[in-house]
Amino acid sequence: MRVAAVVFDCDGTLVDSEPLAWRSWERELRAHGYALTQADVESTRGRSYAEVHAHFAERIEGLPDAAAFWPRFSGTLFELLESELTPFEDAIATARQLDGRGIRIAIASSSPRERLDRTLRAAGLGELFDVTVAGDEVERGKPAPDLFLAAARRLGVPPED
């Protein structure tokens, strides 16, 4: 069987951005009197921005809605991405090898489009992938398969391949 395409996750797979995101959540939630816990991290890891925000909105009275909170959170995060993002060189080397062999590659990330694009730019990966799908472009995020199915569809490859 020949593999026609490979779909990668981004955060925690291609780049070590998750600690930076949690530092951003911690900093911005502290301004609302909330101390981030390991239980918060464990219960929301891999979820979309909207889902993580909803988790905290249930716990923090008066937290601005997701759209109003995004500029502060993303501003903090984007500064960290620009200054501290660490790519996982082995995963990126694998993506480059696949691309060199003519295998189409995509990213399916729970991150909003703005964050995904900023992350790829900061890591120098903006042009490597044939397709990228962001969490705010599908109806259901992980663990539903929507991101991965959308990536396969945009690649023009049946999901089973």
Side-chain angles (χ1 to χ4, degrees):
M1 178 175 118
R2 182 184 183 295
V3 173
V6 175
V7 180
F8 289 84
D9 188 10
C10 184
D11 302 299
T13 301
L14 294 169
V15 295
D16 194 18
S17 57
E18 289 184 354
L20 304 179
W22 288 115
R23 282 175 48 200
S24 301
W25 279 109
E26 182 177 43
R27 184 177 302 165
E28 295 308 321
L29 295 174
R30 189 179 323 121
H32 293 277
Y34 188 84
L36 184 71
T37 68
Q38 190 60 36
D40 291 320
V41 173
E42 294 301 323
S43 65
T44 58
R45 180 175 281 130
R47 302 299 179 147
S48 70
Y49 167 77
E51 291 172 310
V52 176
H53 180 276
H55 169 87
F56 292 117
E58 291 174 359
R59 289 156 177 77
I60 304 169
E61 188 174 331
L63 186 68
D65 69 25
F69 190 76
W70 175 253
R72 289 195 52 92
F73 169 77
S74 64
T76 300
L77 176 59
F78 295 163
E79 287 177 18
L80 290 171
L81 290 174
E82 291 296 326
S83 63
E84 298 183 34
L85 183 64
T86 303
F88 290 129
E89 295 300 334
D90 55 345
I92 293 168
T94 299
R96 291 188 195 289
Q97 288 171 349
L98 291 166
D99 182 58
R101 291 176 34 202
I103 297 173
R104 302 199 64 210
I105 54 176
I107 292 177
S109 173
S110 293
S111 293
R113 171 56 61 189
E114 183 181 15
R115 176 180 169 183
L116 177 57
D117 289 347
R118 293 288 290 261
T119 300
L120 295 176
R121 227 179 0 262
L125 299 174
E127 304 301 318
L128 178 60
F129 293 88
D130 298 302
V131 166
T132 63
V133 181
D136 55 355
E137 298 170 347
V138 296
E139 185 175 330
R140 298 176 303 156
K142 297 173 193 172
D146 298 27
L147 284 164
F148 304 102
L149 294 173
R153 189 171 44 257
R154 291 181 191 179
L155 286 167
V157 174
E160 58 272 15
D161 292 344

